Amino acid sequence: MNISFIGAGSMAEAIIAGLIEKNIAERKNILVTNREDQTKLADLKKKYGIQPTYQMEELMEDTDMVIFAVKPKDAAAALKKIKPYLKEDTLFVSVMAGISLSYMENRLNVQQPIARAMPNTSASVGKSATAIAFNDSVSKHQKQLATTVFSSIGVTTVIEENKLDAITALSGSGPAYIYYVVEAMERSAAEIGLDADTAKKMILQTLVGAAEMLLTSGKEAAELRRDVTSPGGTTEAGIEVLQKENVQTAFMKCVKAAMEQSKKLGGMHESKQIV
Ligand SMILES: NC(=O)C1=CN([C@@H]2O[C@H](COP(=O)(O)OP(=O)(O)OC[C@H]3O[C@@H](n4cnc5c(N)ncnc54)[C@H](O)[C@@H]3O)[C@@H](O)[C@H]2O)C=CC1
Ligand SMILES: O=C(O)[C@@H]1CCC=N1
C-alpha cells in the first residue's frame, strides 16, 4: 500500500509507527510532509525509514490514501495547497477533530472519496480506539483499506458521521481523563506516605488489571465495582466520598463539554468563507 501523510506531528507519527510495526505498508511507500520543519522530517526518516518530501506531485502521484493530520486551524490552508495535486479517486482520510466531511468536500471536490477518522494517542502503542465515517464516494475497497490502516494502531469502528463529535469527546480525548485520575492517585499516594516508584507500579498494574477485567470478565463496570466493595469496608468508605463530591456527574459534564467543543471547532472553521 502507498500512503502519503500531510502533517508530521504526534498523530501522524503514531499511525506511521503502527503501519510499520504491522507491515501494512513498506517504509519506502510511506511519504510524509509537513509545513516547514525539515528537522522533524529528517528525524522521522531516521527513526522509521519513511520518505520525507516537500514535492506535492510526488506525494499525490501513486498514493492509495492521503492521511491528513494537521490541526483544524491549519485545515483550510493545507487543503488549498494539496487540492491541485490530489487525484479525484484517491482516498482522503482526515483525523482532524471537529472538521466535517462536507467541509472537506467543499474545499476539495464534492465527489472526492473522503473518510473522517478519530483515533487517540494510544495509537503509539497499538491501542487506539478509532471511529471512522465515510462519505458516499468511498468504495468498498477503500473502506477496507482505511479499516486495515486504523486496525494497525488498535481497534476500529465504522460509524455515522453525526456520532463523531461524541466519539471525539469520549475516546479521542478519553486517554487524558484517565491520566487525570492517575495524577490524582499519584498525589494521594504521596500524601499517605508511599514513595513515587512503588505508587506508580501499583497504580499502573491496577489500571491494566481493571481494563483486563472489563475486557474479559463479561461483567459490567458497576458489577465489578460492587465485587471490590465489601460492606463496611475500605472501598465503600472511599466511594462514599466520590459520591458525595459528585465525581460521576463531573465526569459526565466533562464528556459533554468536550463534545460541545468538538462541535464548536467544526462550526468555527465551517463558518469561514471558502477562499
Ligand atoms: N493529539 C491527539 O490526541 C489527537 C489529535 N487528533 C487530530 O490530529 C490532528 C493532528 O494533531 P497532532 O498530530 O497532535 O498535531 P501536531 O501539531 O503535532 O502536528 C500537525 C502537523 O501539521 C503540519 N502542518 C500544518 N500546516 C500544514 C500545511 N499547510 N501543509 C503541510 N503540513 C502542515 C505541521 O507542520 C505538523 O507537522 C489534529 O487535527 C487533531 O485534532 C485526533 C485524535 C487525537
Ligand atoms: O484535544 C483535542 O482537540 C484533540 C482531539 C481529540 C484529542 N485531542
Side-chain angles (χ1 to χ4, degrees):
M1 193 186 312
N2 297 338
I3 305 186
S4 296
F5 285 83
I6 312 291
S10 47
M11 193 37 72
E13 181 168 354
I15 300 172
I16 290 167
L19 292 174
I20 290 171
E21 162 87 24
K22 298 272 162 48
N23 284 319
I24 305 291
E26 285 185 51
R27 296 166 197 265
K28 67 175 172 48
N29 296 333
I30 302 176
L31 274 58
V32 185
T33 198
N34 61 7
R35 190 165 33 199
E36 56 195 0
D37 188 349
Q38 297 188 22
T39 314
K40 173 74 189 184
L41 290 192
D43 285 350
L44 288 176
K45 182 180 168 71
K46 204 167 150 200
K47 203 163 159 191
Y48 302 101
I50 49 88
Q51 311 306 314
T53 179
Y54 285 103
Q55 299 305 315
M56 282 294 139
E57 292 89 344
E58 192 187 350
L59 277 159
M60 300 298 159
E61 204 172 9
D62 292 321
T63 193
D64 296 302
M65 188 185 305
V66 171
I67 299 192
F68 194 70
V70 311
K71 294 280 188 202
K73 69 174 174 57
D74 296 320
L79 288 169
K80 195 174 172 194
K81 184 164 86 180
I82 69 159
K83 181 180 156 74
Y85 305 94
L86 181 67
K87 293 188 179 156
E88 59 189 18
D89 55 354
T90 300
L91 176 61
F92 182 88
V93 182
S94 157
V95 297
M96 292 182 292
I99 302 292
S100 69
L101 290 170
S102 67
Y103 175 96
M104 292 180 275
E105 285 168 354
N106 289 337
R107 279 167 173 73
L108 294 170
N109 171 358
V110 207
Q111 254 103 55
Q112 190 78 39
I114 305 180
R116 183 179 158 197
M118 181 43 58
N120 67 30
T121 47
S122 305
S124 312
V125 291
K127 301 277 188 207
S128 174
T130 305
I132 186 161
F134 301 104
N135 75 355
D136 292 339
S137 303
V138 180
S139 69
K140 209 170 155 193
H141 173 65
Q142 286 174 324
K143 285 182 185 172
Q144 264 164 7
L145 280 186
T147 307
T148 303
V149 165
F150 285 101
S151 297
S152 79
I153 55 161
V155 170
T156 310
T157 307
V158 175
I159 52 152
E160 292 301 314
E161 190 191 17
N162 62 14
K163 298 282 186 279
L164 267 177
D165 290 314
I167 291 284
T168 304
L170 192 71
S171 52
S173 301
Y177 313 149
I178 307 295
Y179 301 141
Y180 187 81
V181 171
V182 170
E183 285 174 64
M185 288 178 82
E186 285 176 345
R187 285 172 63 183
S188 60
E191 268 187 28
I192 58 178
L194 292 170
D195 71 83
D197 286 348
T198 307
K200 190 158 202 171
K201 191 169 151 192
M202 302 315 275
I203 293 167
L204 296 193
Q205 185 58 24
T206 303
L207 207 67
V208 170
E212 195 68 31
M213 287 294 281
L214 285 163
L215 276 171
T216 60
S217 69
K219 293 183 180 180
E220 294 297 325
E223 193 182 349
L224 288 170
R225 173 164 62 81
R226 278 195 296 274
D227 289 347
V228 190
T229 313
S230 317
T234 58
T235 317
E236 192 177 83
I239 297 273
E240 256 177 37
V241 175
L242 295 180
Q243 271 165 354
K244 218 186 275 165
E245 300 282 344
N246 286 321
V247 172
Q248 232 173 46
T249 312
F251 264 98
M252 289 165 74
K253 282 188 185 164
C254 151
V255 175
K256 277 192 193 139
M259 183 172 89
E260 292 312 318
Q261 183 64 11
S262 179
K263 286 184 183 160
K264 205 165 125 193
L265 275 179
M268 254 160 57
H269 298 285
E270 314 242 321
S271 61
K272 281 189 194 153
Q273 294 233 309
I274 299 175
V275 281

